[in-house]
Amino acid sequence: MDEASFTALFNAHYGPLVRLAGLLGADDPEDIAQDAFARYYRRRRRLRDDAAAFAYLRSTVCNLTRNRRRHLGVVRRALPVLFARTEEDVPADFTAMVREDHRELLAALDALPAKQREVLVLRYWMDLSEREIGKVMGISAGTVKSHAHRAVAALQGSLREKA
Amino acid sequence: MTMVEDDLREALRSKAAVFGTDPEAMGRVERRIRRNRNRRAATAAGAAFAVAAAAVAVGVTGQHDDGPAARELLLTAADAAASAPAGTGRYWHTSGLSEELIQVGSPGRGTYQVRERARTDLWMPQDAAAPAWIRTSGLGAAPATKADEAVWRAQGSPATYRTTENGDVKIPAKPDKPLTERIKPGGYGERFGQELTPEDVRTLPADPARLRTALLRLIKRASADEGDEQLFDWGGSLLLRYPASPQVRAATYRMLAGLPGIRKLGTVTDRAGRTGTAVGLNAGVDAQGSRFTERLVLDPKTGRALAWESVMTGKGGKAAGTARAGQVETAQLTLESGWTGEGPPGR
């Protein structure tokens, strides 16, 4: 990448990466995104274009979020809201901006195994293909397909239980 | 498309809108970059995307195959490491030095290089429940060579340097206050490039093949990176800063001896002026078009790892005017290591 494009890269991708971390259930999505950019800076010699850079950043956000959640021992119970530990932590916006049935669906998403959740977020929020998801997660397109299949079935199951 | 998938798409979109971003975020990233730079200067063998490039570079440069010499050297080091005393203590303490060449300058007036240095002390606990600590003292940055100093003077001898590659980050010339911090689980990757904890190291097998498998699993768990470059990188880090047993150290050297592409680079002087023998891997090309080799400097007689250095082997068209092939771009040196009863001062 050329000179000064670090700032351009940051401006273009910081927001989407914060949202990606948040949707994956990170406790502090901005911390994850900032960590990813700092790591990217160290790797920059090897990532020669913007597409490779964004792919690296996305993978890093997924891995960091997965690791932090595991390290924190965040075994999240079926919380009424997904990214808060207590009611006070829930941003007022969340309840105001997200419909109740969507909140239930997001809570079910948060209870899935990490890789299944990643596949769904990358597919339905980032609109990546199975191949692209495989690249981000370092798994085959076939594995992506089977994660997606299981994840959707699990979501349907947990929503039926609630109904 | 089932209902649940449509709903999910909508639900994710509405939740995504909740996350705001801090207007100061870029500044926070810059501070992290500066901290990271002091801890582990720059990239080690890189991301998955670069593996292909590195493989091509090995072919193109066509260096004669001194793989057998590298293997012999690493096996000698393995035998020496295996017979070192195991030792014990509360903490495995390493004193190190890290250095990086940074391209700086002012737009339109030419670029030059400063070398930024930091002293790093690490305490990794014997007891899995205890925290690990790191103490970093930035030693400041100064023009790297006489040629760099001349350009620096011509540009008005600035007290802070501004980077001219990959963003505009200010590098102060003055040393920083020492900073002692606890290393959080999950924080090792950011600091050292490998998400490897002392606890992971305690469970590593002492058989080279099984060690390789275990490291590959840890590499995959932690990052988007893969390949033999990663094994070299992780193995080097393990030897330089982690409390591995003599058996695991020996297995690490033997595992490295089995990597294709590893070459003996002969006797070298590291950035601390110590003489050692180096093995290395080609590391591909950077954004300035420069080629690099990463090397592990070791003392085969004692089996101690001395340094990890990234050396420019070919200068690219966009490299700083004063850059020269052969320069040590980044270095992490282990000056001392061993078990101790003492933690960091005041902790």
Side-chain angles (χ1 to χ4, degrees):
Chain A
M1 51 186 321
D2 11 88
E3 294 163 21
S5 62
F6 183 73
T7 311
L9 186 82
F10 181 85
N11 291 337
H13 299 308
Y14 181 68
L17 289 167
V18 169
R19 291 189 280 278
L20 174 61
L23 293 175
L24 292 172
D27 283 69
D28 188 347
E30 286 213 70
D31 185 60
I32 299 265
Q34 289 167 18
D35 191 349
F37 274 98
R39 283 168 195 250
Y40 161 74
Y41 189 84
R42 201 174 54 218
R43 300 284 186 199
R44 70 199 184 278
R45 293 190 191 288
R46 312 311 164 88
L47 302 169
R48 281 184 287 172
D49 59 42
D50 209 60
F54 188 37
Y56 179 82
L57 287 164
R58 273 191 311 230
S59 297
T60 305
V61 164
C62 289
N63 290 327
L64 288 174
T65 306
R66 197 189 311 138
N67 269 329
R68 298 259 174 104
R69 285 181 58 134
R70 190 180 49 229
H71 282 304
L72 289 169
V74 185
V75 180
R76 294 178 185 212
R77 301 167 299 278
L79 292 172
V81 287
L82 57 158
F83 54 14
R85 293 203 176 105
T86 67
E87 288 289 342
E88 297 87 77
D89 286 345
V90 184
D93 288 358
F94 183 68
T95 335
M97 289 169 71
V98 184
R99 262 164 42 193
E100 195 189 344
D101 59 328
H102 284 166
R103 292 203 298 270
E104 274 173 21
L105 183 58
L106 291 167
L109 175 73
D110 201 58
L112 292 178
K115 300 231 173 182
Q116 293 186 15
R117 177 171 50 252
E118 280 167 37
V119 166
L120 293 188
V121 171
L122 292 170
R123 182 160 167 177
Y124 296 111
W125 185 66
M126 288 219 128
D127 281 319
L128 299 189
S129 70
E130 279 164 1
R131 224 181 114 80
E132 289 170 317
I133 295 170
K135 271 201 182 148
V136 170
M137 296 178 60
I139 57 181
S140 72
T143 310
V144 171
K145 205 189 281 278
S146 76
H147 277 317
H149 181 77
R150 271 186 224 134
V152 168
L155 287 187
Q156 280 165 334
S158 74
L159 292 183
R160 257 197 309 276
E161 262 172 44
K162 287 244 165 73
Chain B
M1 178 77 56
T2 64
M3 273 252 301
V4 87
E5 287 164 308
D6 284 336
D7 282 347
L8 188 58
R9 211 181 275 280
E10 238 183 282
L12 287 168
R13 215 175 290 138
S14 65
K15 185 181 170 188
V18 174
F19 299 107
T21 52
D22 177 357
E24 296 298 311
M26 183 68 195
R28 288 181 197 284
V29 170
E30 286 183 2
R31 280 195 288 281
R32 268 176 207 253
I33 288 170
R34 290 203 25 73
R35 275 189 354 215
N36 288 353
R37 200 204 308 283
N38 290 341
R39 278 167 190 148
R40 181 182 191 279
T43 165
F49 315 100
V51 171
V56 169
V58 172
V60 169
T61 53
Q63 310 242 3
H64 66 279
D65 179 22
D66 38 16
R71 279 190 284 283
E72 193 188 324
L73 172 72
L74 287 163
L75 294 175
T76 305
D79 291 342
S83 59
T88 184
R90 265 177 74 214
Y91 287 100
W92 178 259
H93 175 219
T94 49
S95 288
L97 195 62
S98 68
E99 299 192 345
E100 181 181 10
L101 287 179
I102 304 165
Q103 191 188 114
V104 298
S106 57
R109 298 184 59 196
T111 53
Y112 60 102
Q113 298 183 110
V114 292
R115 179 172 277 119
E116 189 177 51
R117 302 166 71 235
R119 156 101 197 235
T120 304
D121 281 275
L122 262 173
W123 290 265
M124 294 203 183
Q126 163 91 287
D127 172 4
W133 296 91
I134 184 166
R135 183 171 189 266
T136 317
S137 325
L139 301 175
T145 62
K146 289 262 181 265
D148 293 305
E149 200 181 327
V151 183
W152 172 69
R153 283 191 201 288
Q155 295 190 3
S157 311
T160 0
Y161 315 107
R162 311 202 67 135
T163 60
T164 49
E165 52 171 336
N166 298 291
D168 179 4
V169 178
K170 290 184 214 65
I171 311 285
K174 281 198 295 204
D176 269 349
K177 282 201 305 261
L179 177 69
T180 304
E181 289 170 287
R182 197 182 161 134
I183 306 179
K184 285 182 292 192
Y188 290 85
E190 185 185 345
R191 286 160 199 276
F192 309 132
Q194 303 86 27
E195 193 53 60
L196 179 68
T197 67
E199 187 54 17
D200 292 331
V201 171
R202 246 185 300 276
T203 59
L204 287 175
D207 169 75
R210 288 179 51 227
L211 176 68
R212 181 190 160 92
T213 309
L215 284 176
L216 285 171
R217 191 165 349 142
L218 290 170
I219 290 166
K220 188 122 193 200
R221 176 192 81 181
S223 70
D225 306 328
E226 61 188 4
D228 285 347
E229 289 83 358
Q230 285 295 306
L231 283 171
F232 184 48
D233 191 11
W234 283 56
S237 183
L238 182 62
L239 292 165
L240 280 169
R241 50 175 81 92
Y242 284 87
S245 68
Q247 292 70 32
V248 169
R249 270 172 206 284
T252 305
Y253 280 120
R254 293 194 176 103
M255 183 272 293
L256 293 177
L259 293 183
I262 203 154
R263 291 181 291 120
K264 182 175 170 181
L265 303 172
T267 302
V268 301
T269 305
D270 74 9
R271 285 289 312 160
R274 299 172 297 181
T275 303
T277 314
V279 290
L281 270 185
N282 284 353
V285 182
D286 78 354
Q288 276 76 38
S290 302
R291 281 198 312 276
F292 292 89
T293 286
E294 254 133 22
R295 70 186 187 191
L296 174 67
V297 184
L298 55 100
D299 177 351
K301 283 200 272 312
T302 59
R304 283 194 163 223
L306 305 176
W308 180 273
E309 297 177 335
S310 176
V311 181
M312 184 186 279
T313 49
K315 181 180 168 179
K318 287 165 142 189
T322 52
R324 292 285 173 269
Q327 68 184 18
V328 175
E329 191 84 1
T330 68
Q332 292 98 51
L333 306 146
T334 295
L335 303 176
E336 280 174 63
S337 58
W339 289 104
T340 166
E342 300 293 314
R347 307 280 172 177

